[in-house]
């Protein structure tokens, strides 16, 4: 079974919602749509207080090179543009819309008919992806069109679709594969055409045998389904490339430097809807789960829906919950309020019981090197954390802190409960700023 070799861990899977079919979540009474729900510069609003909008209307433009368009997820009246809390706990500008019915933009094809014929050229596909505001749905929310704008002098020979979903608890990608397999495969062919490659691989962890069998049974030219060993973080970009193609991305380089591009399966489905149905990315599948949740679910949710609305639908006693996490337990972030809205990057909402949500008491490092053994990037997390704690940024850079992907393997294995990822994030933020200043 294919996998990456260096590091990795095996957390308890807890795919509690894997058997729950995707349910269409009711449109809320009000949505809070962030202008900063993608990597890069915030989108610039083109609506104002009192404007009427339809579902799918453009409400903010991604004007910077790395940015993304944002569309209304509902029809109604813009109440205001104001600051609201996001998943990071920061107040950032949101377009707040009062819902009035659900009237969609007339240009969107709402039929369920499968559209296989890809009529657009490579350049037109990339432009359509940009117009429709498609971003990575695995968590990072990197604008998809930018990823497929290959720099001069670079060339791709392979496309990898990341359907691994190695983060414990999350099942939104799994359900999409089971319920919309043809759309996913057509989306893959669209991206192959955009990238001008003849070969694509869809990597899926072996704990999703039903999805592997289903996709393998469908005949789409140039697409290979690749079963992968169950191992975290199998779905990380560099680890996935190593497992599928046997290639290594050098430090400081990107996948395109070794001839490939990686795209999340949810984003690939969104690409199908954008190109074949003219549908902007204004809703996504969100897993809502946890060991104390009575009905772990997968919902198709409009962007901007308050997370608190989702919690009311899954049979959980909120008095027993110690943390609400946006994402999974390894790389997700605890949110400070259920008023935080669903964004394009919200893959799941994990509810942790009070008894399991506390960190262990931090003790001294015992030099066991378990964090080194677990690191899939070959780093020394104990060392980087120590120099970051002492603000030795030059030393942190020399220790390759910027190669850290914050997967949490080091902290997961640490017997002393050291907050390694916290220090690594601090180190990355400060060293990254130093590098940017140096480049000016």
């Amino acid at each position: 079974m294919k996998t990456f070799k260096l590091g990795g861990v095996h957390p308890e899977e807890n795919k509690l919602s894997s058997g729950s079919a995707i349910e269409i979540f009711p449109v809320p009474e009000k949505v809070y749509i962030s202008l900063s729900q993608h990597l890069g510069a915030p989108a610039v609003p083109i609506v104002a207080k009192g404007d009427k909008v339809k579902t799918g209307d453009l409400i903010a433009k991604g004007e910077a090179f790395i940015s993304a368009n944002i569309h209304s997820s509902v029809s109604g009246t813009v109440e205001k543009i104001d600051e609201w809390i996001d998943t990071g706990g920061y107040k950032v500008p949101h377009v707040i819309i009062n819902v009035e019915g659900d009237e969609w933009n007339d240009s969107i094809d709402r039929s369920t008919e499968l559209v296989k014929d890809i009529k657009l050229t490579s350049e037109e596909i990339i432009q359509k992806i940009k117009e429709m505001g498609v971003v990575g749905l695995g968590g990072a929310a990197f604008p998809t069109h930018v990823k497929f704008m290959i720099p001069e002098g670079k060339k791709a020979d392979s496309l990898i679709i990341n359907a691994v979903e190695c983060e414990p608890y999350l099942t939104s990608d799994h359900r999409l594969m089971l319920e919309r397999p043809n759309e996913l495969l057509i989306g893959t062919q669209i991206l192959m055409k955009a990238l001008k490659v003849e070969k694509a691989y869809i990597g899926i962890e072996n704990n999703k045998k039903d999805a592997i069998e289903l996709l393998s049974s469908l005949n789409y030219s140039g697409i290979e389904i690749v079963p992968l060993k169950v191992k975290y973080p199998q779905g990380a970009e560099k680890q996935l490339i190593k497992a599928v193609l046997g290639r290594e991305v050098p430090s400081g380089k990107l996948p395109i430097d070794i001839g490939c591009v990686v795209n999340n399966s949810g984003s690939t489905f969104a690409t199908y809807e954008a190109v074949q149905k003219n549908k902007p990315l204004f809703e996504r599948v969100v897993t809502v789960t946890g060991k104390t949740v009575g009905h772990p679910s997968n919902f198709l949710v409009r962007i901007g829906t308050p997370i608190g609305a989702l919690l009311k639908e899954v049979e959980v006693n909120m008095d027993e919950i110690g943390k609400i996490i946006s994402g999974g337990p390894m790389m997700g972030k605890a949110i400070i309020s259920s008023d935080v809205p669903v964004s394009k990057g919200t893959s799941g909402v994990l509810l942790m019981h009070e008894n399991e949500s506390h960190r262990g008491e931090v003790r001294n490092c015992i030099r066991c090197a378990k964090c080194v053994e677990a690191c899939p990037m070959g780093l020394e997390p104990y060392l980087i954390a120590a120099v970051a704690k002492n603000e030795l940024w030059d030393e942190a850079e020399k220790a390759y802190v910027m190669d850290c992907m914050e997967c949490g393997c080091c902290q997961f294995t640490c017997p002393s409960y050291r907050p390694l990822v916290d220090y690594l994030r601090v180190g990355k933020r400060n060293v990254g700023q130093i590098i940017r200043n140096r480049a000016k």
Side-chain angles (χ1 to χ4, degrees), residues 60-363:
K61 288 184 177 180
E63 295 185 349
F65 177 67
I66 300 181
S67 189
N69 286 349
I70 295 174
H71 300 77
S72 178
S73 60
V74 295
S75 63
T77 303
V78 176
E79 178 184 303
K80 58 183 175 179
I81 299 175
D82 200 359
E83 291 189 338
W84 196 259
I85 50 173
D86 64 4
T87 52
Y90 298 102
K91 286 193 172 183
V92 299
H94 285 65
V95 179
I96 302 172
I97 304 172
N98 292 317
V99 177
E100 299 160 2
D102 191 23
E103 184 179 359
W104 287 38
N105 186 296
D106 294 336
S107 66
I108 301 172
D109 179 2
R110 300 184 66 182
S111 72
T112 57
E113 179 184 358
L114 196 67
V115 183
K116 290 188 174 183
D117 186 24
I118 305 168
K119 296 180 179 179
L120 301 186
T121 66
S122 172
E123 293 73 20
E124 289 170 339
I125 288 170
I126 295 171
Q127 181 60 30
K128 178 61 72 171
I129 290 171
K130 179 180 181 180
E131 290 175 4
M132 298 293 105
V134 180
V135 303
L137 298 186
F142 187 83
T144 301
H145 69 277
V146 177
K147 185 177 286 190
F148 284 81
M149 295 168 64
I150 307 304
E152 189 175 348
K154 310 284 186 183
K155 182 173 174 58
D157 57 51
S158 303
L159 169 68
I160 299 178
I161 302 302
N162 184 354
V164 175
E165 201 164 44
C166 62
E167 178 78 73
Y169 287 95
L170 303 185
T171 59
S172 56
D173 287 348
H174 188 185
R175 291 311 311 179
L176 263 180
M177 287 187 279
L178 294 178
E179 298 181 39
R180 307 298 287 273
N182 286 290
E183 290 90 335
L184 173 62
L185 291 167
I186 296 169
T188 302
Q189 290 188 324
I190 292 169
L191 292 175
M192 290 169 66
K193 187 172 183 179
L195 199 57
K196 300 177 181 178
V197 299
E198 300 297 323
K199 187 68 177 178
Y201 305 86
I202 301 180
I204 310 173
E205 272 195 323
N206 204 39
N207 57 2
K208 306 173 187 66
K209 294 183 184 294
D210 48 1
I212 293 171
E213 292 173 2
L214 176 57
L215 293 180
S216 298
S217 70
L218 301 174
N219 186 24
Y220 283 80
S221 177
I223 302 175
E224 179 182 339
I225 310 303
V226 184
L228 299 168
K229 183 178 179 179
V230 179
K231 184 181 180 183
Y232 179 86
Q234 188 79 257
E237 198 170 60
K238 293 183 178 181
Q239 282 63 39
L240 181 58
I241 293 170
K242 179 65 176 177
V244 173
L245 298 178
R247 304 176 190 173
E248 291 190 7
V249 181
S251 176
K253 299 294 184 180
L254 298 171
I256 190 59
D257 292 309
I258 57 167
C260 61
V261 170
V262 180
N263 203 64
N264 171 263
S265 56
S267 314
T268 304
F269 173 74
T271 295
Y272 166 82
E273 292 199 311
V275 174
Q276 305 295 74
K277 297 289 185 176
N278 203 49
K279 181 183 174 184
L281 178 55
F282 59 75
E283 60 184 356
R284 65 155 298 153
V285 181
V286 179
T287 300
V288 186
T289 185
K291 292 180 180 178
T292 59
V293 173
H295 181 53
S297 303
N298 297 289
F299 295 121
L300 182 63
V301 185
R302 302 289 178 96
I303 302 301
T305 301
I307 283 175
L310 306 182
L311 306 185
K312 295 177 182 178
E313 301 295 323
V314 293
E315 300 173 17
V316 62
N317 182 357
M318 293 304 298
D319 292 335
E320 299 177 350
I321 300 303
K323 280 185 182 178
I324 305 172
I325 296 175
S326 176
M330 298 299 288
M331 294 189 73
K333 294 182 179 179
I335 60 175
I336 62 172
S337 168
S338 60
D339 291 335
V340 170
V342 170
S343 69
K344 293 179 182 181
T346 307
S347 55
V349 178
L350 172 61
L351 302 168
M352 298 188 73
H353 191 275
E354 181 72 32
N355 295 334
E356 61 177 344
S357 65
H358 293 295
R359 293 187 180 190
E361 182 181 353
V362 178
R363 299 192 291 266

